[in-house]
Amino acid sequence: MKYVLSRATVLAQLRGSLRSDIAALQQEADIIALHLLMERAKAEDSEIAVWINVLPTDFNTVPIFWTKDQLAQLDSQPAVTRIEGLRRDMERDYQHVMESVLEKHFDEAVIDVWYSLQDYFWARQLVDTRAWNMRGQKFLAPCAGMFNHAPSSEDLAYRWQTDTGRRSQAFLTYHKIESKSGNEIADYRGTDMS
């Protein structure tokens, strides 16, 4: 794959104090999400513009984006409390990114247009829902994160092979997916979805 987003590939593209401030962010997801936002701000000048243009524009099916009325339909206060806590955590993460990077390197008008809380939520959801976790690192690769989820490994309508013959760890090094035309490409990620 020519273009893979990870902590290392993002930091390799940056220079100076912007690089230092982004490198100091503790969460790998924040580093990748911030880079996605920077690339999206470049519009068609971004090397990954074609990919960004086909990504979801919202995540209204993700509970942290639900309204109070939608959350009330869950009829489960523990679930609502957990979802509200996750939203607060993400708002706190955004505030940290804002203070550590955005306010230092971008003027207020640019932040309002390209780096708002909603923009951050969008980018973080892309990372959180599409990044591959391998060997303790997150990798976001165009198209690799667009596979649907298969309920079990038995439901896969294609053959998956890597250079080692194993499925996950070598995906970004070499992959070959053979599928008949019209078959869905899905990935079974096991029963532990964390």
Side-chain angles (χ1 to χ4, degrees):
M1 302 217 167
K2 181 181 179 208
Y3 203 93
V4 175
L5 298 181
S6 68
R7 177 186 180 89
T9 62
V10 167
L11 294 177
Q13 297 178 46
L14 301 172
R15 301 286 175 263
S17 62
L18 179 61
R19 183 194 187 285
S20 299
D21 289 340
I22 291 176
L25 293 173
Q26 296 298 309
Q27 293 192 56
E28 193 175 27
D30 284 337
I31 293 170
I32 298 169
L34 189 52
H35 183 73
L36 270 174
L37 291 174
M38 291 167 59
E39 289 297 315
R40 188 172 75 163
K42 293 178 186 176
E44 296 306 315
D45 290 335
S46 169
E47 290 182 18
I48 58 174
V50 172
W51 175 52
I52 289 173
N53 290 338
V54 298
L55 289 170
T57 56
D58 66 62
F59 289 90
N60 58 10
T61 59
V62 176
I64 64 167
F65 295 105
W66 290 356
T67 65
K68 288 197 180 290
D69 289 340
Q70 290 171 309
L71 289 174
Q73 292 178 27
L74 290 177
D75 198 27
S76 169
Q77 191 54 48
V80 171
T81 300
R82 173 87 170 120
I83 292 164
E84 289 172 341
L86 291 170
R87 182 175 177 84
R88 279 191 305 274
D89 290 348
M90 195 169 289
E91 288 170 347
R92 187 181 60 243
D93 293 345
Y94 172 73
Q95 190 59 42
H96 177 69
V97 169
M98 177 71 94
E99 293 167 0
S100 302
V101 178
L102 298 176
E103 289 176 345
K104 292 180 180 181
H105 298 280
F106 302 99
D107 64 38
E108 190 175 334
V110 171
I111 292 171
D112 289 345
V113 173
W114 295 107
Y115 303 98
S116 70
L117 176 63
Q118 285 307 111
D119 293 319
Y120 171 80
F121 274 22
W122 170 82
R124 270 297 299 270
Q125 285 306 301
L126 285 169
V127 174
D128 292 348
T129 62
R130 286 169 169 68
W132 292 67
N133 293 297
M134 295 183 290
R135 297 182 181 140
Q137 297 177 12
K138 290 186 182 296
F139 295 89
L140 194 58
C143 299
M146 294 182 172
F147 295 158
N148 289 325
H149 299 279
S152 77
S153 60
E154 315 302 314
D155 295 334
L156 301 177
Y158 61 88
R159 186 171 65 93
W160 180 301
Q161 180 181 349
T162 66
D163 60 339
T164 63
R166 293 187 317 256
R167 283 188 56 226
S168 64
Q169 296 298 328
F171 178 80
L172 295 173
T173 306
Y174 170 80
H175 67 280
K176 180 178 182 180
I177 298 174
E178 294 178 6
S179 176
K180 292 182 181 177
S181 178
N183 281 352
E184 174 183 55
I185 300 293
D187 180 40
Y188 173 67
R189 298 184 185 187
T191 56
D192 179 12
M193 297 301 281
S194 61

